[in-house]
Amino acid sequence: MTPLTQTPEWQALAAQRDALAGRHLNRLFANDPQRFARFSFRCGELLADFSKQRLTGEALAQLVRLAEARDLAGFLRRMAAGEAINATENRAALHIALRAEKSYRVGGRDVLPEVHATRARMRELSEAIRAGAWRGSGGQAIEAVVNLGIGGSDLGPRMAAQALGAHADPNLKVRFVANIDPAEFADTVRDLDPARTLFIVSSKTFTTQETLANARAAKAWLGTADPARHFLAVSNNVAAAQAFGIPPENCLAMADWVGGRFSMWSAIGLPLACSIGMDAFEDLLAGAREMDEHFLSAPYAENLPVLMALIGLWNIDFLGAESLAVIPYAHRLGLLPAYLQQLEMESNGKRVTLDNEAVGCATAPILWGMAGSVGQHAFHQLFYQGTRLTPIDFVVPVGESGPEQEALVANALAQGAALMKGKSLEEATAQLIAAGKDTAEAERLAPHLVCPGNQPSTTLLMPALTPRALGNLIALYEHKVAAQGCLWGVNSFDQWGVEHGKQMAREILPKMLTGEGEFDASTAGLLAAIRAMPKA
Ligand code: F6P
């Protein structure tokens, strides 16, 4: 395949970028009264407004041509056909099958019966736990479910359980432990009763150091309690779960063709199902399915995930953006940026194409963010007057009416508008004079009040933070990431860099304990300093 940056479509986009240089978003709006209507699109509960992105209709059309030239359609066909698009691990990436109604085949086998069987087991278990029918070994009902997992075996259900807190069973505590730092486990179980606590060991591989350490800590904390009454496992490695002491009937399967960061729809979602109930979990799946159908069938020019992928690529590769801020205007979506960090950065933080060539351009952005309006009082200053181009995704559930909720939504809209519009020197001077400053003082201060504006943002609006809307939203980002991976030509479904880091940690631990082994000078110096430190 022709390297991406040498394609005529890429060259045409560079020309579009040059033609647009210096044209402020204010001018794009002034020239086109229909800009909002032309750049906003809907799917399910979501309305995506791309009109505040630094794009013309022509540039967008050219981006669509890039998607066609990179055979995005062929990629989607192969993905939906269960082909091994994760070529470095020789696996399918078929998370869409987890929320499908029609059959999907992997290696010639329809996987839907097993998906439905696992889901039926999830219903059985979550309903038994919620109804108090699942008893601890002392005969008491369970009052706390603690998920032990990390990365994709933690972030999805943790984020969604918080997001859907309004739907949570108030009588069941659902908590999450990921870090190998024993402080997280200790803080999480401090107020829990071992006799009434059920752990879910969530690990696709059942080899992850952090999760296994926490599972051992849980076993010790439970004391003499029967593991069969206090542990469930979600894994692709049932033998290892059994060897740990979890009986097979307590193990829920996780298929090989589900990647960790795409797995919240699988049995990895069990803690979420315990929290919100299986009916709400199925609404979440339905929301994701709605986005899947849209992604696989809508024309690119109206296809939300494809447009988000293309606009993201435009910002990164043509406008030079290095990061993407995701700012949900909903306290309960506070973990969305952390969840998306794994989804985007572990998927597309890659530099080599599937043809084993250097990508030749920048790939995944550094994704970051926190809930608005809190972030306004922390980092928005940099958006307004800093030196960097920082595209932002504002995620805004409109919610129920009421003065605080309305103020929250107004803040979200105000940020997008003010960052786009900016404040000129004349406006700043006039503002100061209106505030009573004399002309000399106003002229001295005005440059400090100037905001150049022209900061691009996307607003994702939804009526309320419901399971269906959350399903729409998360599947939107999943497909955006897959489409971007296809455009860049990288494999979005492996994570060899993370594996390298894991291996390094495994090697360093025994050497750290014995003090023996070869290290680079810095690591050797740090190890010596650690050994010299007084032990608490
Ligand atoms: O963070 C790296 C990673 O491999 C993720 O892809 C995965 O979600 C996580 O570790 C946890 O892996 P497992 O579910 O096998 O414990």
Side-chain angles (χ1 to χ4, degrees), residues 150-153 203-205 208 260 342 346 495 498-499 502:
I150 197 164
S153 300
S203 176
K204 180 175 174 183
T205 56
T208 303
Q342 189 198 16
E346 198 166 272
Q495 58 282 323
V498 180
E499 304 305 336
K502 283 186 192 173

Side-chain angles (χ1 to χ4, degrees), residues 312 314-323 362 365 389-391:
W314 169 258
N315 285 335
I316 295 162
D317 290 317
F318 292 92
L319 303 189
E322 295 203 323
S323 79
L389 172 74
T390 311

